[in-house]
Amino acid sequence: MKAHDGMYIDGAWRPAAGTDTIAVVNPADEQVIAHVPAGTADDVDAAVRAARRALPAWAATPPAERAARIAAIRDALVARKDEIAGTVTAELGSPLKLSQAVHVGLPIAVAGSYAELAASYAFEEKAGNSTVHLEPVGVVGAITPWNYPLHQIVAKVAPALAAGCTIVLKPAEDTPLTAQLFAEAVHEAGLPAGVFNLVTGLGPVAGQALAEHEGVDLVSFTGSTAVGRQIGATAGAAVKRVALELGGKSANVILPSADLAKAVNVGVANVMSNSGQTCSAWTRMLVHDSQYEEAVALAVEAAAKYGERIGPVVNAKQQRRVRGYIEKGVAEGARLVAGGPEAPRDQGYFVSPTVFADVTPEMTIAQEEIFGPVLSILRYEDEADALRIANGTVYGLAGAVWAGEETEAVAFARQLDTGQVDINGGRFNPLAPFGGYKQSGVGRELGSHGLSEYLQTKSLQF
Ligand code: NAD
């Protein structure tokens, strides 16, 4: 695999300040495929300074011109789509078809949406005797996870560029090669030097230095709730803007009038896709008492289809963590009906597609985010019970409701404490605001709501 041995700072690949490196491992066969530099606070400082220097000119660039540069990034990603898909598969382990359709297809769509939004967005509003200007927040420190390596980057960089902000990106240590390809795409798109900068490195070193840097005006973080809490505290102490996209434990609520087979099949696919490493996955399936055993049988059948098709989880630590949760589910008395804690292959960080029945709301596997291919099926007595269970975690990122009539599903969905709900299998929409209620986060990504995160208002009175 091709890897740069430097950082992309101020429009060029530059040697890292230190000599430490990070090994990139293919989780499907445990082989080291590349090394990238482990950035330090010095690299972060150089990148933030470059971003600050580039800010005034980029902020003053007409939105139509910013839109054209974002469209050029989109085109550069399209031109390299096979290379990017192969790289995502090599460092994340996702099956190639998933890499092509989702890991590359989705960020291309998101980049395209921001090229359009940047050109059409109203950066000026009238309010009585005032004109309100929506101005860029400034320098953005973007910290991203590995589960959708390119999407997480584009979901921050594209709206930040559209708003007129400049950026320093610190991508996840497991998937830095995709981030380097993104930096190449930015370079090809002809962005002015310093508008986008990339520092690879470890979270507690480079990530922390970026979150703490006084030259950063907004920290946009996606990752675990534990790290998000720390970044939120740091930003709060510095009175600095922060956006947090954190964990989830979403409910898939199947009401008795729903098409049960469809709801279960789509629900299982939703959890197993990307080896369960999706923050918005519906990892708790809620089924009425009268349909419970039928739903369990359907879920077992659906999970069996994933046995051969599923990719590994991202690294050995995640594999241990997920298997630990499966053991805990068994120990707490849930009924294991598919999969289990044993590794299905000798090599690679694989976890069997796993389904638990007889899961009760207080069990660890019903409360904590597992981030692996593990589904819990819970039983409810009536709608009030279903609602109480669905809302009974600290998270509130996503969810699904299935019913015979849309109106019935919508009435239930409106009572869920969560940021996104799919009605009867509604499709993912890259223009819809994405983000969490409760401890799933602060702020929204995607579409115009995602753009407004990177803007601040100035009102002029006449
Ligand atoms: P993580 O929090 O360990 O890491 C995320 C990023 O933060 C990485 O780039 C990492 O290097 C960096 N980081 C780690 N420690 C840091 C520190 N002390 N200071 C600054 N940066 C630091 O999470 P992960 O294991 O990479 O990702 C999995 C988690 O991300 C899951 O909990 C998942 O739900 C969450 N996630 C949420 C969303 C969302 O949109 N809500 C999307 C994807 C993933």
Side-chain angles (χ1 to χ4, degrees), residues 364-442:
T364 306
I365 55 169
Q367 288 294 326
E368 295 185 12
E369 184 177 54
I370 299 176
F371 233 55
V374 183
L375 171 67
S376 294
I377 311 183
L378 293 92
R379 189 190 296 269
Y380 68 82
E381 286 172 10
D382 53 28
E383 275 199 26
D385 193 30
L387 188 63
R388 186 181 53 78
I389 297 170
N391 285 338
T393 76
V394 295
Y395 295 114
L397 188 56
V401 182
W402 302 78
E405 298 293 332
E406 264 182 17
T407 47
E408 188 191 355
V410 169
F412 192 96
R414 294 295 307 270
Q415 301 176 77
L416 288 174
D417 300 331
T418 192
Q420 281 232 344
V421 187
D422 294 352
I423 303 294
N424 283 342
R427 275 179 304 120
F428 181 80
N429 174 8
L431 293 176
F434 183 93
Y437 279 32
K438 301 193 282 186
Q439 290 184 29
S440 284
V442 176

Side-chain angles (χ1 to χ4, degrees), residues 95-106:
L96 191 59
K97 275 192 180 156
L98 183 75
S99 299
Q100 288 162 336
V102 177
H103 290 295
V104 180
L106 175 59

Side-chain angles (χ1 to χ4, degrees), residues 144 146-147 152 170 173 203 221-224 245-247 279 369:
T144 56
W146 43 263
N147 63 339
Q152 304 288 9
K170 204 304 282 176
E173 37 278 69
F221 169 82
T222 299
S224 60
E245 297 285 352
L246 309 176
C279 48
E369 184 177 54

